[in-house]
Amino acid sequence: MILDRKQISSFWEQLQDTIEQLLSSRSDDRFDAEPLLTQYREQLQKIDRNLTFHFQSDEDQNGAIEMVFGCDGFPESIQSVLSLIGAAPDLTGIEFKAFNNRYDPVPLTINIGDEFCELSDFWFRIVIVEKRLHLEIYLEDAPKVLDMDPRVEAVMIFLDALIGEYELMTRVWALDWFELPTSPEDYGLTKLVDLRERFDELKQGVAPIGMTLH
């Protein structure tokens, strides 16, 4: 992908011109400035249609705001994120980061709309097949259409927290979804909370690659 450096510069210029307005509308990690956020999204789409952003507090810095950029799980857009962050200005009151890092502690619950999801609800199997890492997620009433089930979004947030967004995109070749059997242990499945340890044991045995969702 050939990036338009002018579009990247234009995005950061717009953000610099509006950052005080954005920060003044802050309430916790939320901002009451939707028209402004919409402008940011539109500018990012001009750079790369897969670019995303969200805000979070850095608890180690007394709640300082971080603006985290990602690419919605598309490995082909990793370079777009890195190029964007590479051109980021130094601004007071906000820090710019690439990708969601692992969380410590890992959240045990996530609310997606009206759906309350617990980490303990999900199970996994992770294996190396022909030097490629395959991750299988097991849940009750597994969805036939992934985009229609908020639990899928919750699992993706849990995966970012457990192993990090960048490694999820570059180490996991395939991510598959299956119905949870009645006795998961009998099928060699493991609670999702234990994924980090198992992933770290296996990841050095595979080359960095992309991810395909099935």
Side-chain angles (χ1 to χ4, degrees):
M1 178 181 293
I2 300 176
L3 296 177
D4 189 333
R5 302 293 175 180
K6 290 184 179 179
Q7 295 288 1
I8 292 177
S9 296
S10 177
F11 170 79
W12 288 121
E13 289 171 2
Q14 180 191 29
L15 192 141
Q16 284 181 286
D17 290 341
T18 57
I19 190 63
E20 290 186 8
Q21 178 184 348
L22 177 72
L23 293 178
S24 66
S25 71
R26 177 185 176 186
S27 176
D28 295 325
D29 293 346
R30 298 183 179 276
F31 297 90
D32 186 20
E34 188 55 40
L36 189 57
L37 299 178
T38 298
Q39 291 178 28
Y40 294 166
R41 296 186 189 101
E42 291 174 348
Q43 283 289 93
L44 289 175
Q45 291 288 303
K46 295 177 182 178
I47 300 169
D48 185 322
R49 60 187 177 86
N50 295 325
L51 288 177
T52 64
F53 69 89
H54 70 274
F55 297 95
Q56 63 186 28
S57 295
D58 185 344
E59 299 301 334
D60 294 334
Q61 298 185 26
N62 298 319
I65 281 291
E66 297 177 335
M67 189 174 186
V68 183
F69 294 87
C71 52
D72 208 19
F74 291 93
E76 63 269 25
S77 296
I78 289 174
Q79 188 56 49
S80 297
V81 178
L82 298 178
S83 296
L84 184 68
I85 292 298
D90 291 326
L91 297 179
T92 301
I94 190 167
E95 181 180 354
F96 306 109
K97 296 179 63 177
F99 307 113
N100 290 311
N101 294 325
R102 297 179 175 194
Y103 297 174
D104 285 305
V106 174
L108 300 180
T109 61
I110 291 175
N111 287 323
I112 303 293
D114 295 329
E115 189 78 28
F116 181 77
C117 303
E118 297 189 46
L119 182 59
S120 59
D121 291 338
F122 306 103
W123 296 68
F124 79 95
R125 177 187 287 122
I126 189 167
V127 294
I128 295 178
V129 180
E130 297 181 351
K131 297 184 178 180
R132 295 175 175 178
L133 206 56
H134 289 241
L135 176 59
E136 300 171 354
I137 302 296
Y138 292 80
L139 66 163
E140 293 182 358
D141 299 322
K144 293 182 172 59
V145 181
L146 298 181
D147 291 344
M148 300 298 290
D149 195 320
R151 295 176 301 165
V152 172
E153 183 178 351
V155 168
M156 298 307 296
I157 295 172
F158 283 133
L159 292 180
D160 283 351
L162 287 161
I163 63 180
E165 183 181 10
Y166 182 78
E167 289 202 299
L168 177 62
M169 286 188 292
T170 59
R171 296 286 181 177
V172 176
W173 178 265
L175 175 57
D176 297 298
W177 305 77
F178 296 100
E179 181 68 28
L180 183 68
T182 302
S183 301
E185 297 92 341
D186 294 343
Y187 290 84
L189 305 185
T190 306
K191 288 273 192 179
L192 190 60
V193 68
D194 296 322
L195 174 62
R196 180 181 294 180
E197 181 179 0
R198 183 62 178 147
F199 175 82
D200 287 345
E201 291 174 354
L202 296 176
K203 70 178 182 180
Q204 299 305 324
V206 297
I209 50 179
M211 179 179 72
T212 302
L213 288 174
H214 298 288

